[in-house]
Amino acid sequence: LVKPGSRILDAGTGTGILAIAALKIGAAEAYAFDIDPWSIENAAENALDNRVGDRFVLCEGGLEVIPEDSFDVIAANINRAALRRMLPGFAAKLAPGGALILAGLLQTDRPVMLDALADARLTLSDEATEGEWWACRSALAGG
């Protein structure tokens, strides 16, 4: 999903791995946020170690600290409660034709998340399972 020139948002970045990987395979820029100060420090170090720090914008806080929008890919690997709260904000920040990738979910979370996606005007594009885990790709409804 990451193409040359893509704009990426990594929600709950942790170590920064999703954003860093996207930058390494061609994304133009990546924004990331996390509520944990240690994660921001660690992600900044990892970005420098991977020589992508000049294209990686890190912000401490929740989704509200990211004023930019029109992201081609938004990726989040965090818990169901946090994801459900952020879905309307993700929909507002997703570019037309963009993809929202959600992971860190259990298969038992699927029904609740499908309802939450629909409430946020997002449609399921693809999904995958491994063991008890479930991940999905969504897009803006009608997009």
Side-chain angles (χ1 to χ4, degrees):
L1 297 172
V2 177
K3 297 174 179 63
S6 294
R7 297 183 74 233
I8 309 300
L9 177 60
D10 181 359
T13 195
T15 63
I17 187 68
L18 299 177
I20 291 167
L23 291 165
K24 301 271 291 174
I25 62 173
E29 60 185 351
Y31 288 76
F33 66 91
D34 203 297
I35 60 171
D36 178 22
W38 179 88
S39 291
I40 296 299
E41 268 184 58
N42 186 249
E45 288 175 20
N46 291 336
L48 291 175
D49 288 347
N50 282 278
R51 297 182 181 91
V52 296
D54 59 325
R55 297 178 290 140
F56 192 15
V57 179
L58 281 159
C59 301
E60 186 178 336
L63 183 58
E64 71 281 352
V65 300
I66 304 292
E68 291 76 11
D69 57 15
S70 294
F71 290 100
D72 300 301
V73 177
I74 299 174
N77 183 13
I78 47 184
N79 69 65
R80 180 181 81 182
L83 289 173
R84 284 183 68 198
R85 279 192 307 274
M86 287 188 266
L87 283 177
F90 289 157
K93 292 187 175 298
L94 195 60
L100 171 63
I101 309 298
L102 303 178
L105 296 160
L106 297 171
Q107 287 192 49
T108 55
D109 294 330
R110 184 180 186 274
V112 171
M113 290 306 295
L114 291 179
D115 287 345
L117 288 167
D119 289 346
R121 299 180 354 269
L122 294 158
T123 58
L124 183 69
S125 306
D126 198 10
E127 59 187 320
T129 60
E130 184 174 318
E132 65 184 7
W133 298 103
W134 178 71
C136 70
R137 177 177 67 186
S138 301
L140 293 171

